[in-house]
Amino acid sequence: MKNSRNPEEVHSPVAPYVHQIEVTGPSRWLTMSGQLGMMADGNIPDNPIEQMRIALENIKKNLEAANMEIHDLTKLVFYLVGEFNAELRRKVISEFLGAHLPCTTMVYVVALAAPEFKVEIDAWACKEI
């Protein structure tokens, strides 16, 4: 069972996320390597927002391969390089997550594995057995 909480002793979330998710009982865990904004054919768009959409879609494809869904995500860590339109960034993430609120962290970094990459997203998911 997954229990989401925002402790009263901690500030309210500053974006659509939850402070903690406790997992109890039998479950399957999925840990993904950082997903990039690269399409299956190797294409990497220049637009960082489009890279974010593709990286999130790659997370969805990984979830599907493990017989999991978006609501099974427990944690996302976004690594971003350069300028991002905050409103578009929030919209893309919101469209991807819908009503689901995992734990999230967003970090701006100097660079990723190659100069063309502007987004990398780590993801963890848990499905009750």
Side-chain angles (χ1 to χ4, degrees), residues 29-41:
W29 279 94
L30 177 66
T31 304
M32 294 176 227
S33 292
Q35 297 300 300
L36 298 166
M38 183 188 323
M39 300 172 74
D41 64 4

Side-chain angles (χ1 to χ4, degrees), residues 9-57:
E9 301 78 16
V10 178
H11 65 83
S12 296
V14 297
Y17 66 85
V18 64
H19 279 300
Q20 59 176 266
I21 297 174
E22 179 183 18
V23 178
T24 59
S27 58
R28 292 187 310 116
W29 279 94
L30 177 66
T31 304
M32 294 176 227
S33 292
Q35 297 300 300
L36 298 166
M38 183 188 323
M39 300 172 74
D41 64 4
N43 184 35
I44 305 164
D46 293 332
N47 184 305
I49 294 296
E50 188 58 28
Q51 284 194 30
M52 180 175 281
R53 282 190 180 98
I54 293 166
L56 290 167
E57 184 62 26

